[in-house]
Amino acid sequence: NAGVTQTPKFQVLKTGQSMTLQCAQDMNHNSMYWYRQDPGMGLRLIYYSASEGTTDKGEVPNGYNVSRLNKREFSLRLESAAPSQTSVYFCASSQGGTDTQYFGPGTRLTVL
Amino acid sequence: QKEVEQDPGPLSVPEGAIVSLNCTYSNSAFQYFMWYRQYSRKGPELLMYTYSSGNKEDGRFTAQVDKSSKYISLFIRDSQPSDSATYLCAMIGSNYQLIWGAGTKLIIKP
């Protein structure tokens, strides 16, 4: 069991470039989440998918889009990257509701 | 004011000490409380999960919830250098979304 995997691990972008962060889970979980983590800010929810076929905005959705490709995969897209999007991005999954969330190893993104 | 407040530290203690980590929160509707541990350059991993008030013990770790004071604590007994990490508290809010503290960086000195 790999749990939650994320690609890439590191990425450097120039302002205005686009990219997609990939996330996959092999735990047959219903719900998946994208967070960003910045120093002193804790984890902030960007988007989540409560179940396959649904997506909802979290606390900080501006500048991002998501796709729940199937039950296993949930991608995060930055259409036009900005320096304010420099952060560490974590994907997580759970069965939903009050169930534990399991996290991937993160993607470190720098936007110049 | 943030919904969940957590001192960012760092908190530095000698090996073998008892460590106390704390969070306060403002929303009395929170019922589920979690502590996650995050090693440097890794994702958070669940350490303790409690429901409502009271204590829960797991090995050297004890989670305590005081709903009347809106205060949760994590105690680590006989602390080890391997406990050095950032500890994040989290609570389940509306729509089952997690509300996070900023995390406390803990350093255990050998």
Side-chain angles (χ1 to χ4, degrees):
Chain A
N1 263 2
V4 180
T5 57
Q6 293 182 236
T7 55
K9 287 186 168 53
F10 303 94
Q11 185 71 48
V12 179
L13 292 178
K14 294 181 180 177
T15 297
Q17 288 185 318
S18 62
M19 79 162 295
T20 300
L21 282 65
Q22 306 286 356
C23 174
Q25 52 93 7
D26 63 2
M27 294 175 281
N28 201 35
H29 283 163
N30 294 314
S31 301
M32 297 185 73
Y33 313 82
W34 276 106
Y35 291 92
R36 60 179 288 173
Q37 187 176 36
D38 303 291
M41 301 286 289
L43 286 153
R44 292 183 292 170
L45 184 65
I46 304 171
Y47 271 94
Y48 67 102
S49 171
S51 61
E52 188 178 355
T54 69
T55 60
D56 285 289
K57 295 178 181 179
E59 180 186 355
V60 289
N62 290 346
Y64 305 96
N65 284 301
V66 290
S67 295
R68 183 74 182 266
L69 305 169
N70 47 56
K71 192 171 185 180
R72 287 188 64 247
E73 299 172 289
F74 189 37
S75 63
L76 178 72
R77 183 160 177 84
L78 286 70
E79 291 290 352
S80 179
S84 60
Q85 294 178 305
T86 294
S87 188
V88 182
Y89 291 85
F90 288 102
C91 177
S93 72
S94 79
Q95 283 293 14
T98 59
D99 190 56
T100 301
Q101 291 187 19
Y102 296 86
F103 284 79
T107 295
R108 292 183 172 273
L109 175 66
T110 301
V111 183
L112 302 174
Chain B
Q1 183 188 2
K2 292 181 182 177
E3 280 193 281
V4 179
E5 299 278 0
Q6 185 176 11
D7 187 331
L11 176 63
S12 182
V13 301
E15 182 177 355
I18 295 174
V19 174
S20 173
L21 302 165
N22 310 295
C23 288
T24 59
Y25 62 95
S26 57
N27 189 337
S28 58
F30 290 154
Q31 297 281 355
Y32 297 88
F33 306 91
M34 282 146 275
W35 286 96
Y36 277 78
R37 179 175 60 195
Q38 184 176 22
Y39 290 115
S40 181
R41 298 183 175 267
K42 302 288 186 184
E45 57 178 348
L46 183 72
L47 195 58
M48 300 287 281
Y49 190 152
T50 56
Y51 169 72
S52 199
S53 287
N55 291 0
K56 181 177 180 179
E57 192 172 316
D58 184 0
R60 295 184 297 110
F61 299 89
T62 300
Q64 188 175 80
V65 175
D66 182 348
K67 292 196 71 183
S68 61
S69 301
K70 298 193 188 70
Y71 191 89
I72 68 170
S73 300
L74 177 70
F75 298 98
I76 307 175
R77 290 184 299 281
D78 188 24
S79 55
Q80 304 294 312
S82 58
D83 295 326
S84 296
T86 295
Y87 290 80
L88 301 121
C89 63
M91 303 164 196
I92 295 182
S94 60
N95 294 328
Y96 300 110
Q97 292 180 25
L98 287 182
I99 311 299
W100 296 84
T104 299
K105 184 174 183 178
L106 175 65
I107 301 167
I108 308 296
K109 298 176 293 184

